[in-house]
Amino acid sequence: MLNHTDFTRELHGNRLVAIVRGSDPAAALRSVLALAQEGVRLIEISLTTPGAETVIAQAGKEAGPDAVIGAGTVVTRQDALRARDAGARWMVTPALDEGFEHAVTLGVPVLAGALTPTEAVAAMRSGAGAVKLFPASLGGPGYLRALRDPLPDIPFVPVGGVDAEAARAYFAAGAVAVGVGSPLLGDAPHGGDLTRLRARAREFLAVCATGDAA
C-alpha cells in the first residue's frame, strides 16, 4: 500500500488514473500491462471485472515497479478486504459508502466518490486522499471551477466521460488529475485492440504533461 502523502504526490505528479473495467480477466490484465509499458502509473482495476482479485494480484507482479495498482468500485466492507488481500495499493469508491469507511479503516489511500460540496468536504474530513468528482459529466469543467472557488484545497479528480479534450478543460479548471475509463481503454479490456489502446495512452499522457497546472 501507499501512504496518503505518496498517493497525493502520485496524483499531482502523474495526473492520469486509468480505469480498467472489462468482461474478460485475461484481456483486462493485458490492458493493464500495455498501459504500464506506455508509462501510465496509476491503474485502477474495477472489482466489477470478472476475476478482479486475480487481475490485481497478477498486475502487481507483472506490471513492474513503476505501475501503482489500485482497486475500483469498492462499495462494501468485503470489497475493501478483497482488494487489500489481492494487493491493491489504493482504492476508489463511487460514493461515501461502507467500502470507503472500511478502506480508510484499513489505512489504504482512497479516492472517494463525491459530487456535491457537502460530500466533498465530508470525504476529506473522513480520511479520503482525494475526491473523485463523479459523475463529472453532469456539470463539466465549469462545475469543477465553481467547486474550487470555495474549496481550493480539495484535490479533485474528475471521472466520467473524460476524453482528451475534456481532460484539457478539467486541468484548466483546477483538476489535480483525471480518471479515464472507456475513452482511454476502448474495447481492450473486453479482448479488443491493444495497439489503439497504446496510442490513446500516449495521447492522454501528452495531455497530462502539457495541460494547465492545477
Side-chain angles (χ1 to χ4, degrees):
M1 292 186 296
L2 301 174
N3 61 42
H4 285 76
T5 299
D6 288 342
F7 179 60
T8 302
R9 187 180 297 118
E10 289 285 352
L11 287 172
H12 281 272
N14 295 285
R15 309 185 77 189
L16 176 63
V17 175
I19 303 167
V20 178
R21 177 183 287 107
S23 56
D24 178 347
L29 179 60
R30 289 194 296 270
S31 299
V32 171
L33 299 180
L35 288 167
Q37 289 163 4
E38 294 300 330
V40 178
R41 280 182 60 82
L42 290 167
I43 304 174
E44 168 195 340
I45 299 167
S46 172
L47 292 182
T48 60
T49 300
E53 297 101 311
T54 299
V55 177
I56 291 168
Q58 286 299 116
K61 294 176 182 177
E62 298 181 31
D66 290 335
V68 185
I69 306 299
T73 324
V74 176
V75 177
T76 66
R77 175 181 181 275
Q78 188 59 35
D79 288 341
L81 293 173
R82 287 167 55 205
R84 188 272 312 272
D85 292 346
R89 300 175 64 188
W90 50 286
M91 299 185 194
V92 185
T93 71
L96 305 183
D97 49 25
E98 180 182 275
F100 166 68
E101 294 171 359
H102 283 278
V104 170
T105 299
L106 292 170
V108 183
V110 184
L111 179 57
L115 181 62
T116 68
T118 299
E119 292 170 346
V121 170
M124 296 305 293
R125 286 180 175 171
S126 299
V131 170
K132 167 187 170 179
L133 184 62
F134 177 77
S137 57
L138 285 181
Y143 180 62
L144 172 60
R145 186 175 289 106
L147 282 176
R148 291 195 76 247
D149 284 342
L151 302 172
D153 296 327
I154 292 182
F156 285 103
V157 181
V159 177
V162 181
D163 59 16
E165 181 179 356
R168 292 186 182 92
Y170 280 120
F171 288 134
V176 300
V178 291
V180 188
S182 57
L184 169 58
L185 272 297
D187 62 359
H190 309 286
D193 193 331
L194 290 177
T195 300
R196 291 183 179 179
L197 168 60
R198 291 177 180 276
R200 289 190 297 269
R202 292 191 291 270
E203 178 186 13
F204 271 98
L205 287 170
V207 169
C208 292
T210 60
D212 293 336

